Amino acid sequence: MSVLLSDVVSGSAVGLRGRLWQLTAAELRAAAVEASAEILRLEAVRVAVVDELSLRPDDQVIASRGVGAWLAANTMLQVRDGKKIAALGAALRPFPAVAAGFDGGDCSFDHAVLIVAFCESPPKGMPEEALPKCIDLLLAAASGVEATTTKVRNVIATLERIFESDEIPPAEDVDRNELRIASTLNGRVVVRGDFDALTGEMLLSALSNLTMPTPAPDGTPDARSAAKRTADGFTELIRRYLDCARTGTDGGQRPHVNVHINARDLAEHRDCAATPSKTDDGMAVSDLDVGHMPWLGPLSVSQTRLLGCDCFLSTVLLDDHGAPLDAKPGKRLVTAEQRTALIARDRGCAFPGCTRVPAWTDAHHIRHWANGGPTVMNNLVLLCRSHHRLMHRKSGFVGKWAIRI
């Protein structure tokens, strides 16, 4: 490494931009990689120091009502970011393997937060002796340049599939959904929201084509920022909905959300026809899979089955290596005619005491088609979105309620 390149990483950024032209492209790439590794190292140092300070607070920390608030008051961090740093330091104490991976630069801050959250609230069906192996799997997914948040979440979703319980993953918990719309003093509107993965997938799918950069007729690139394109796309989405609301079909075709799932995993969910092979420590290591959405990644098998009750179904035949051999055109499982008949018969949600109108209902397969249930009237019933979700996954409902026509 040249002296100049060494100075780039370890020196000040003041005046640096005027000297970077002296570096080759290879040296610039090396500097970017080394600076990123240094950021990971310093981030781990900060978490360790802040955590130790939280264990031995002095008057300044006590006066600030916590080490996170103190850190924010003495740096350019926001209070929420200071508290996140302090919280991660405390959460790493019971899990030295995760702390070692984070301290060694093998795991980013955000991935460490995901891993300790899993360790603190593992699936109810997971035995304690399986936790070290799970941590190894999560750290392997979180380490290296190919590590992504989606990859880590995929491993978490697969572990939840192996040690399946009725607990709803945070990414699918609709009870946490929030949307705040408030007007400001200057007459504008601020929108802030927090949604489950499926709602987010629908929103991103709906906005996808509306937020693409649009060059000018003369070929000039789109000058709008990504945030501006998203705002324009959201405006167009609302306008199109209002323009077409009168011609829409209540409870008709869903927004185009694509979920991919192995057919055997979908069929074997809960009512397992075959038991997956296990290792000596009890971990299932067969080709168990979870649902996968193109935008937001993993989706539990329970939620995938819920969506599969009333959907367009496409089949792709794969070989042993996962290469596509054949694809069949999609077909609508519950036809418009069947839905009209269901509305005439059930007149809304069929759950006892529920008064939700047909527009707020899904067509639910009493015996799921993945388990051989036909899409016929005596195997279909209308359920509102809440009761449909309860019948599929909520603790206290699954396996304890029967549907009779």
Side-chain angles (χ1 to χ4, degrees):
M1 182 185 293
S2 67
V3 175
L4 180 58
L5 180 56
S6 177
D7 292 342
V8 168
V9 177
S10 60
S12 170
V14 177
L16 179 62
R17 295 175 183 271
R19 295 185 286 118
L20 288 178
W21 64 269
Q22 302 175 57
L23 297 180
T24 65
E27 288 175 323
L28 289 172
R29 293 198 308 270
V33 171
E34 189 169 337
S36 298
E38 186 69 4
I39 289 172
L40 286 178
R41 185 188 71 82
L42 291 174
E43 208 162 33
V45 169
R46 181 170 62 182
V47 169
V49 171
V50 169
D51 186 45
E52 183 64 25
L53 185 58
S54 71
L55 296 173
R56 297 187 288 121
D58 60 4
D59 292 342
Q60 289 193 35
V61 173
I62 294 172
S64 299
R65 296 184 180 180
V67 67
W70 170 85
L71 182 64
N74 290 273
T75 62
M76 295 184 186
L77 292 173
Q78 299 295 314
V79 173
R80 63 176 181 274
D81 296 324
K83 290 183 176 180
K84 283 177 64 177
I85 292 169
L88 178 59
L92 287 172
R93 294 175 205 159
F95 308 109
V98 184
F102 178 62
D103 294 343
D106 297 327
C107 177
S108 71
F109 184 97
D110 291 335
H111 292 167
V113 170
L114 279 175
I115 295 173
V116 295
F118 174 86
C119 295
E120 289 176 335
S121 302
K124 287 186 176 180
M126 189 182 82
E128 290 185 11
E129 57 270 20
L131 183 58
K133 180 65 175 177
C134 293
I135 290 176
D136 291 341
L137 293 172
L138 289 167
L139 288 174
S143 63
V145 294
E146 295 182 353
T148 62
T149 300
T150 298
K151 189 175 179 181
V152 177
R153 285 183 55 227
N154 265 310
V155 175
I156 292 175
T158 303
L159 292 173
E160 290 172 342
R161 164 80 167 97
I162 293 172
F163 304 109
E164 192 168 317
S165 70
D166 289 321
E167 289 294 310
I168 300 177
E172 298 173 14
D173 189 354
V174 297
D175 290 337
R176 300 188 183 191
N177 288 2
E178 293 181 341
L179 180 63
R180 293 184 174 89
I181 303 176
S183 58
T184 62
L185 293 176
N186 62 358
R188 297 184 62 81
V189 174
V190 175
V191 180
R192 293 179 181 175
D194 179 14
F195 297 103
D196 62 283
L198 179 58
T199 303
E201 182 76 12
M202 289 191 290
L203 180 60
L204 292 173
S205 297
L207 289 173
S208 178
N209 290 332
L210 301 177
T211 56
M212 298 291 289
T214 307
D218 61 357
T220 305
D222 195 333
R224 297 175 299 168
S225 66
K228 173 60 176 170
R229 293 200 310 271
T230 302
D232 291 345
F234 190 67
T235 302
E236 179 63 19
L237 184 67
I238 297 172
R239 180 181 293 113
R240 291 187 184 186
Y241 170 77
L242 294 175
D243 287 345
C244 302
R246 288 179 296 176
T247 60
T249 302
D250 285 342
Q253 181 182 342
R254 301 280 199 285
H256 294 287
V257 173
N258 294 308
V259 180
H260 307 273
I261 182 70
N262 183 292
R264 194 191 72 180
D265 292 322
L266 193 66
E268 291 181 0
H269 180 63
R270 297 193 182 280
D271 300 322
C272 292
T275 303
S277 58
K278 296 186 178 181
T279 60
D280 294 336
D281 59 3
M283 289 280 290
V285 293
S286 65
D287 55 344
L288 284 172
D289 200 2
V290 292
H292 181 84
M293 298 181 293
W295 286 100
L296 292 174
L299 189 70
S300 71
V301 184
S302 298
Q303 187 80 338
T304 304
R305 284 174 67 90
L306 186 152
L307 293 175
C309 271
D310 186 5
C311 69
F312 272 99
L313 176 65
S314 299
T315 10
V316 180
L317 180 64
L318 307 176
D319 64 13
D320 293 340
H321 304 288
L325 297 177
D326 187 27
K328 296 181 180 179
K331 64 176 182 179
R332 179 74 176 166
L333 286 182
V334 179
T335 66
E337 293 78 11
Q338 285 177 316
R339 184 169 182 87
T340 301
L342 286 171
I343 292 173
R345 187 193 70 187
D346 296 344
R347 303 189 181 187
C349 180
F351 198 89
C354 185
T355 58
R356 291 294 178 94
V357 297
W360 292 81
T361 61
D362 299 326
H364 169 66
H365 281 70
I366 299 171
R367 183 184 180 196
H368 203 280
W369 55 263
N371 296 109
T375 306
V376 295
M377 290 297 294
N378 61 2
N379 192 48
L380 295 173
V381 66
L382 290 184
L383 291 175
C384 69
R385 310 286 155 78
S386 297
H387 286 128
H388 193 188
R389 190 178 299 109
L390 288 172
M391 293 301 297
H392 271 277
R393 69 169 322 131
K394 277 279 191 178
S395 177
F397 279 79
V398 175
K400 296 185 179 181
W401 286 82
I403 298 176
R404 294 194 306 270
I405 298 298

